[in-house]
Amino acid sequence: MRVMKVIVRRLAMKLRQPFVTSYGVEQEKDVLLLEVQTETPKSGFAECVAMPSPYYNEETTETALYIISKFLIPLIWRMEWQSREDLWTTRFAFRPVRHHEMAKAALEMAVWDAFAAEYQQPISQLLGGVKKEIPVGISVGIETSLSHLLKQVGNYVEQGYQRVKLKIQPGWDYVPLQALRSAFPRLQLLADANSAYRLEDAEQLKQLDSLGLVMIEQPLEPDDILHHAQLQAKLDTPICLDESIRSASDVKKAAEMGACKVINLKPGRVGGFAESIEIHNICVDNGLELWCGGMFETGIGRLHNIALTSLPGFTLPGDTSPSDRYFERDIINPPVVFSRPGFLSVDPLVGVQERIDWSEIERSQVSEYVFERPEI
Ligand code: OSB
Ligand code: MG
């Protein structure tokens, strides 16, 4: 398989409601959607999870567009993929470009998706997946009202979500978590701090130990695996790392240092599917719990996350909720829906091409960039 053309589309998709985290408010989803066309021709798709502002990590939609256009696409023209093993070579080809994992992941995953379409193999199977159905949880943004939060979470529990993750920050942590714990004594509850605390806040975080949280996600700075190890030594609540993990090597370091007991894996944050499989294997070998996070993906990213979650080492429900969690109308048809309350089925999709809803893409498209294979 060779790639003849890459099309980058930028879409603006309205979120159903603004989502508040410790670093800002998301109103609209700024989507970079990649399509790679093969000789046959078949098309592979993937979305870039970079956001408009560099608050979650340093990438943005604009930087990703720049890196993809100027540095990554030129590397793709030289490549060929014939077997599943070849899919690991994309990551090596991208290695000279430092970081920019989200930009790399978008193109790498589009190549996997094209390979699935080209060789008519389910993407989940290519990745090494085994599960037919996966449990899902939901991520709840920072609220201003306790009563609204309780009502909202009650709704989600009723819908069947298997666990609830609450975004926290200093001033919005113990009180709302305690209220949720009292209202839902047996709920799998976790807190995601998006780096809003410092090691000096250890005593404050220690209070959360009484609430039986399944984990606290990314309490400290992204670059600070060492202090997470010192914090984990003080807490009974397992620490989960999200922003700190950008590669398989980061997972090894975190495991060696005892910085966490759980990994939140987002393929977009680690450079794509090949790195994700390696991280999955390291988690299994080191007894780390693993789940798949989310980045407000459209259905395309959701289908990819669901395929990845079908690997056996994903031990906890992920943030891979149905399409209607964030969007009124998705760009895939049918959208992602529960197979039964709280579960999603892993469809044997041979690439997401078969689910694309072109009319919805046209409706939300803002711009389009086409790159053709040069004569080489
Ligand atoms: O920290 O997990 C996070 C969304 C965007 C960026 C970072 C995060 C999140 C979420 C939402 O928590 C997960 C989702 O439902 O897609
Ligand atoms: Mg997180």
Side-chain angles (χ1 to χ4, degrees):
M1 177 182 95
R2 293 196 304 164
V3 172
M4 308 308 284
K5 198 192 238 189
V6 179
I7 304 167
V8 181
R9 296 182 174 87
R10 193 161 182 176
L11 319 177
M13 284 172 71
K14 204 165 166 35
L15 291 177
R16 286 176 78 141
Q17 1 154 271
F19 191 93
V20 186
T21 65
S22 63
Y23 52 75
V25 187
E26 295 295 324
Q27 306 266 9
E28 212 180 46
K29 174 82 187 170
D30 180 17
V31 186
L32 274 192
L33 176 61
L34 268 59
E35 175 180 358
V36 302
Q37 284 180 7
T38 68
E39 284 165 288
T40 326
K42 288 275 199 282
S43 283
F45 295 85
E47 79 181 82
C48 180
V49 298
M51 293 190 286
S53 317
Y55 302 149
Y56 168 81
N57 69 1
E58 73 287 352
E59 293 189 76
T60 68
T61 327
E62 289 281 341
T63 67
L65 178 60
Y66 176 69
I67 295 290
I68 290 168
S69 311
K70 185 156 169 75
F71 298 103
L72 301 179
I73 290 175
L75 295 169
I76 279 288
W77 306 134
R78 303 172 183 282
M79 303 199 66
E80 255 186 75
W81 302 265
Q82 253 130 34
S83 66
R84 181 176 180 269
E85 284 62 47
D86 290 343
L87 288 167
W88 268 261
T89 62
T90 322
R91 160 174 82 136
F92 289 109
F94 290 169
R95 189 170 275 177
V97 177
R98 304 281 181 206
H99 288 296
H100 294 285
E101 284 84 6
M102 291 176 169
K104 290 176 184 173
L107 195 50
E108 196 251 18
M109 292 164 76
V111 168
W112 278 77
D113 196 73
F115 190 94
E118 183 86 12
Y119 295 96
Q120 295 289 295
Q121 286 184 45
I123 185 113
S124 56
Q125 195 181 309
L126 273 179
L127 293 167
V130 291
K131 295 179 199 165
K132 298 272 178 286
E133 198 179 45
I134 59 165
V136 292
I138 189 160
S139 173
V140 181
I142 290 171
E143 272 287 332
T144 41
S145 136
L146 259 188
S147 64
H148 187 246
L149 173 70
L150 288 170
K151 215 167 101 200
Q152 217 186 358
V153 170
N155 242 323
Y156 295 142
V157 170
E158 214 164 280
Q159 285 173 45
Y161 280 102
Q162 300 287 298
R163 64 105 178 105
V164 170
K165 155 168 141 180
L166 183 69
K167 295 281 185 183
I168 59 165
Q169 63 185 16
W172 182 258
D173 46 26
Y174 185 82
V175 171
L177 286 168
Q178 204 276 331
L180 285 175
R181 179 45 82 223
S182 318
F184 309 98
R186 285 184 309 279
L187 178 65
Q188 271 198 46
L189 186 60
L190 70 103
D192 184 359
N194 288 112
S195 304
Y197 297 84
R198 300 293 170 268
L199 188 57
E200 297 80 68
D201 301 322
E203 281 316 305
Q204 203 178 329
L205 294 171
K206 180 78 191 154
Q207 286 190 338
L208 305 183
D209 273 350
S210 65
L211 301 175
L213 303 181
V214 272
M215 71 192 87
I216 174 164
E217 183 176 337
Q218 196 68 40
L220 310 179
E221 293 276 291
D223 289 338
D224 201 356
I225 294 181
L226 177 64
H227 282 171
H228 278 103
Q230 294 174 6
L231 182 63
Q232 182 67 89
K234 295 184 179 168
L235 299 184
D236 298 327
T237 307
I239 290 179
C240 167
L241 292 179
D242 173 355
E243 285 92 324
S244 289
I245 303 298
R246 306 159 69 114
S247 65
S249 160
D250 286 339
V251 177
K252 280 190 198 144
K253 285 176 229 167
E256 260 173 52
M257 286 195 244
C260 66
K261 295 177 180 158
V262 190
I263 297 290
N264 169 342
L265 176 53
K266 298 174 180 172
R269 196 195 58 229
V270 301
F273 279 142
E275 196 77 17
S276 295
I277 294 170
E278 198 175 323
I279 289 174
H280 165 272
N281 296 343
I282 294 168
C283 288
V284 171
D285 291 346
N286 288 275
L288 293 173
E289 303 259 15
L290 177 66
W291 56 282
C292 184
M295 297 287 289
F296 311 126
E297 286 91 343
T298 74
I300 292 175
R302 270 164 217 283
L303 290 172
H304 284 157
N305 286 344
I306 293 164
L308 181 65
T309 306
S310 71
L311 271 73
F314 284 83
T315 52
L316 295 167
D319 278 342
T320 45
S321 39
S323 301
D324 69 0
R325 164 75 183 96
Y326 293 115
F327 304 106
E328 214 74 66
R329 298 156 72 156
D330 204 343
I331 52 172
I332 58 163
N333 191 12
V336 174
V337 293
F338 283 146
S339 48
R340 59 187 165 111
F343 291 83
L344 300 173
S345 65
V346 181
D347 297 331
L349 276 181
V350 292
V352 301
Q353 183 171 36
E354 51 186 290
R355 293 275 284 272
I356 300 278
D357 184 335
W358 285 109
S359 63
E360 280 303 314
I361 289 184
E362 272 160 35
R363 228 168 58 86
S364 49
Q365 182 164 318
V366 181
S367 47
E368 182 182 277
Y369 310 85
V370 180
F371 303 83
E372 308 242 16
R373 183 189 182 83
E375 293 301 327
I376 45 176

